[in-house]
């Protein structure tokens, strides 16, 4: 198999142009017979007047060594032999039938854009194992080739249902409304703690040989229970800020120029970052083209925002988190749950600023930059439900975050025309960018001080999105399997 990268074709090219480009890159004669699959498709919009589609492809053809040898010497990494994916070739082995594994789900986030790209360099991702499993669960096949794949909120929900049905068909059992209220921990003669079971809501005790704890990053009651039971926790950096909304047409035009709305491009997205003079970094987070800002509070008397899109990305506005990085030592020193207390403080102030009825506080960008409360909407209507109450967002954000976002907005406006438009809409607050807590684990993926407890995913502090959480879930599953095999062999 031959992997070719960086094949560039004009926007709207005919279907046979890609085959011709492959033949030209390999120096093949006209009419040469070969098969190919698209491994990755992206766009290069740096020149809006000449947007290009960029492909990586895998080619199968007779006589590959003879074709590859002179090309590799001439073209470096753009043409190379593609090695076979070997991840996941496990040797089958009978496991101890008495082993009992309790688990949550990793990589199954909801009310998001269903984004499936990641900076993780892991064979489970590079081999497309996770994406292949998602397609088997009902995700659209194009996620296997798009540079920035997404599936949308509703499709994500149906995928989770399909995965659940598959697990149940294999003998798995789901328990609804069964919160874990306590842990059964045993300590041996050497002082080593080991998890032996779970105490469920209502008092039922479930014995368990291995427990995968895949809770969400807002499972605050579970964090508190783990701390009370002495499970090792540590505070973790996260971010705080607001959601910013623009009409999707503004972003499309700014990114694609006259090519905006071309069917090969879809809704435009963006990624922004700025290092501020006060030492903070402001960046876009969870950018949702053609979506909406949604309520994400998990406790009464607090307001939290998030963003989501459907697969079509054809609703309402472009929205993104506009957040400021924070860290425990600088911003919320204290015990492992100090970050949770920090979140609650600003979420409670947002509830008050929104009028106390779960409306979210909102402000036009122009007023935010001028330091005055908004009293009327402009050209951008906020999408948040149940509604937005216009106010001054400085009342529910840390002063350093206000200063940093005010500095960053004009910078971003120079990168994306109209980004700092006075009528662009800010809605607060965004506090749940990632878990404020890490359930610390060792190299064997077990809790640092409680054997048989395997923290996993975003809530445990080891992932930052659907794809990275899914990858982490696979790593933990591998670790559990190894632990069971070792126990069976002992």
């Amino acid at each position: 198999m031959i992997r070719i990268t960086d094949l560039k074709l004009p926007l709207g090219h005919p279907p046979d142009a890609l085959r011709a480009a492959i033949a030209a890159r390999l120096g093949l004669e006209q009419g040469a017979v070969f098969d190919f699959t698209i491994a990755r498709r992206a766009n290069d919009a740096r020149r809006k007047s000449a947007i290009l589609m960029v492909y990586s492809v895998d080619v199968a053809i007779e006589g590959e060594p003879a074709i590859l040898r002179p090309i590799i010497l001439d073209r470096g990494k753009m043409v190379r032999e593609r090695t076979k994916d070997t991840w996941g070739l496990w040797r089958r082995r009978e496991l101890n039938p008495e082993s009992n594994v309790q688990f949550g789900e990793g990589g199954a986030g909801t009310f998001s854009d269903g984004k499936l790209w990641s900076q993780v360099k892991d064979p489970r991702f590079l081999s497309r194992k996770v994406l292949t499993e998602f397609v088997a669960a009902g995700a659209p096949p194009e996620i296997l080739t798009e540079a920035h794949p997404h599936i949308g909120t509703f499709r994500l929900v149906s995928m989770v249902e399909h995965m659940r049905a598959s697990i149940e068909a294999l003998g798995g059992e789901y328990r609804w409304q069964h919160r874990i209220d306590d842990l059964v921990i045993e300590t041996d003669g050497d002082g080593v703690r080991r998890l032996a079971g779970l105490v469920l809501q209502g008092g039922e005790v479930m014995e368990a040989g291995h427990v995968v704890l895949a809770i969400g990053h807002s499972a605050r009651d579970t964090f508190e229970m783990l701390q009370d039971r002495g499970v090792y926790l540590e505070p973790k950096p996260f971010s705080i800020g607001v959601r910013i909304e623009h009409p999707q047409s503004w972003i499309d035009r700014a990114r694609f120029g006259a090519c905006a709305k071309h069917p090969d491009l879809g809704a435009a997205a963006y990624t922004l970052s700025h290092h501020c003079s006060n030492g903070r970094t402001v960046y876009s987070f969870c950018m949702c083209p053609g979506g909406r800002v949604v309520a994400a509070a998990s406790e009464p008397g607090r307001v939290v925002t998030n963003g989501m899109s459907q697969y079509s990305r054809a609703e309402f506005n472009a929205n993104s988190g506009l957040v400021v990085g924070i860290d425990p030592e600088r911003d919320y020193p204290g015990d492992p749950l100090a970050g949770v207390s920090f979140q609650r403080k600003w979420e409670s102030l947002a509830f008050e600023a929104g009028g106390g009825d779960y409306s979210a506080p909102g402000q036009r960008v122009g007023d935010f930059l001028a330091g005055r409360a908004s009293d009327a909407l402009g050209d951008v209507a906020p999408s948040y439900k149940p509604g937005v109450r216009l106010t001054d967002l400085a009342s529910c954000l840390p002063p350093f975050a206000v200063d940093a976002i005010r500095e960053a907005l004009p910078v971003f406006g120079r990168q994306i025309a109209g980004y700092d438009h006075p009528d662009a809409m800010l809605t607060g607050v965004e506090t749940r960018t990632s878990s404020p807590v890490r359930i610390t684990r060792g190299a064997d993926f077990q809790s640092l001080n409680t054997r048989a407890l395997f923290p996993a995913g975003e809530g445990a502090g080891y992932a930052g999105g659907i794809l990275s959480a899914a990858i982490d879930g696979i790593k933990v599953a591998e670790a559990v399997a190894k632990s069971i095999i070792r126990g069976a062999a002992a």
Side-chain angles (χ1 to χ4, degrees):
M1 187 74 73
I2 299 173
R3 167 64 60 89
I4 304 177
T5 61
D6 204 39
L7 279 172
K8 296 182 178 180
L9 295 171
L11 189 64
H13 65 80
D16 59 354
L18 182 55
R19 176 173 286 275
I22 294 169
R25 178 70 63 87
L26 295 178
L28 302 177
E29 296 181 359
Q30 185 175 2
V33 178
F34 59 89
D35 293 323
F36 73 92
T37 58
I38 297 173
R40 184 177 184 272
R41 189 184 82 142
N43 66 70
D44 181 350
R46 287 174 292 182
R47 293 179 58 201
K48 297 183 182 64
S49 61
I51 295 176
L52 299 173
M53 301 304 296
V54 185
Y55 295 89
S56 294
V57 297
D58 292 327
V59 182
I61 187 172
E62 291 187 8
E64 287 179 11
I67 294 171
L68 273 172
R69 198 171 299 115
I71 296 176
I72 289 177
L73 292 175
D74 184 46
R75 298 185 181 274
K77 293 182 178 179
M78 288 191 293
V79 178
R80 68 179 190 274
E81 182 179 8
R82 179 177 179 272
T83 57
K84 183 179 179 181
D85 295 327
T86 58
W87 178 84
L89 300 179
W90 285 75
R91 180 165 59 93
R92 293 182 61 86
R93 180 170 181 172
E94 291 299 322
L95 302 180
N96 182 350
E98 296 181 357
S99 296
N100 181 10
V101 179
Q102 309 294 333
F103 65 97
E105 291 190 22
T110 53
F111 298 109
S112 73
D113 190 37
K115 284 177 270 296
L116 299 177
W117 65 89
S118 173
Q119 300 296 322
V120 175
K121 302 300 181 184
D122 185 280
R124 299 158 190 81
F125 172 53
L126 298 178
S127 69
R128 302 198 294 182
K129 167 65 176 174
V130 173
L131 296 181
T132 300
E133 292 295 334
F134 284 176
V135 170
E142 55 263 32
I143 69 170
L144 296 173
T145 57
E146 292 300 308
H148 293 140
H150 70 103
I151 53 179
T153 299
F154 286 174
R155 290 199 179 197
L156 183 60
V157 171
S158 64
M159 284 171 53
V160 172
E161 292 172 343
H162 186 281
M163 292 176 184
R164 185 180 78 225
S166 297
I167 291 170
E168 290 173 332
L170 293 169
E173 178 186 351
Y174 281 77
R175 296 283 194 96
W176 307 108
Q177 303 298 319
H178 280 68
R179 185 183 64 229
I180 300 172
D181 281 348
D182 203 355
L183 307 178
V184 179
I185 298 176
E186 299 175 348
T187 304
D188 65 18
D190 296 324
V192 177
R193 291 159 44 100
R194 182 178 184 86
L195 185 62
L198 306 173
V199 180
L200 305 182
Q201 185 178 11
E204 179 185 357
V205 177
M206 294 183 68
E207 295 182 358
H210 301 76
V211 173
V212 177
L213 190 63
I215 55 176
H217 66 53
S218 295
R220 292 168 171 174
D221 53 352
T222 304
F223 291 146
E224 291 166 356
M225 180 272 291
L226 293 172
Q227 184 179 46
D228 290 342
R229 298 297 289 143
V231 175
Y232 196 94
L233 308 175
E234 58 183 326
K236 189 182 79 54
F238 60 103
S239 300
I240 187 171
V242 295
R243 279 271 150 184
I244 185 167
E245 292 187 83
H246 306 83
Q248 183 62 45
S249 60
W250 292 10
I251 303 300
D252 291 341
R253 196 161 52 246
R255 303 300 279 176
F256 298 143
C259 295
K261 299 302 182 183
H262 191 284
D264 286 350
L265 295 175
Y270 59 78
T271 302
L272 298 168
S273 180
H274 174 63
H275 299 289
C276 300
S277 57
N278 66 356
R280 305 287 179 167
T281 298
V282 179
Y283 64 98
S284 58
F285 168 78
C286 185
M287 194 272 152
C288 300
R292 65 177 72 190
V293 178
V294 296
S298 58
E299 297 174 329
R302 297 187 173 98
V303 164
V304 182
T305 61
N306 195 359
M308 59 170 275
S309 297
Q310 303 300 349
Y311 179 70
S312 66
R313 290 181 162 176
E315 296 182 316
F316 300 100
N317 301 323
N319 78 81
S320 172
L322 194 62
V323 296
V324 182
I326 54 179
D327 66 84
E329 292 185 5
R330 185 177 187 179
D331 300 309
Y332 44 97
D335 71 12
L337 300 186
V340 173
S341 298
F342 187 87
Q343 290 175 323
R344 283 172 168 160
K345 171 184 176 179
W346 301 107
E347 293 165 10
S348 296
L349 289 173
F351 178 77
E352 295 174 11
D357 62 356
Y358 294 96
S359 296
Q363 190 173 15
R364 294 167 60 244
V365 163
D367 294 328
F368 178 80
L369 292 173
R372 60 175 178 260
S374 291
D375 57 11
L377 295 174
D379 290 340
V380 184
S383 59
Y384 180 92
K385 299 295 183 183
V388 169
R389 181 177 184 267
L390 296 176
T391 185
D392 183 356
L393 286 169
S395 66
C396 51
L397 288 170
F400 66 78
V402 173
D403 292 342
I405 295 172
R406 282 176 177 160
E407 179 181 322
L409 278 165
V411 175
F412 295 158
R414 292 191 289 273
Q415 298 174 22
I416 298 177
Y419 196 86
D420 59 344
H421 190 287
D423 287 347
M425 193 67 201
L426 302 176
T427 308
V429 290
E430 175 99 15
T431 56
R432 310 288 182 92
T433 56
S434 66
S435 178
V437 178
R438 179 172 286 115
I439 308 172
T440 316
R441 66 192 186 194
D444 60 1
F445 291 86
Q446 298 184 57
S447 164
L448 206 59
N449 71 338
T450 307
R451 306 296 298 169
L453 178 63
F454 294 79
E458 191 165 0
Y462 292 96
I466 294 170
L467 194 59
S468 58
I471 292 169
D472 193 65
I474 294 174
K475 291 179 181 178
V476 170
E478 294 169 351
V480 171
K482 290 177 181 177
S483 177
I484 293 173
I485 290 171
R486 284 195 298 266

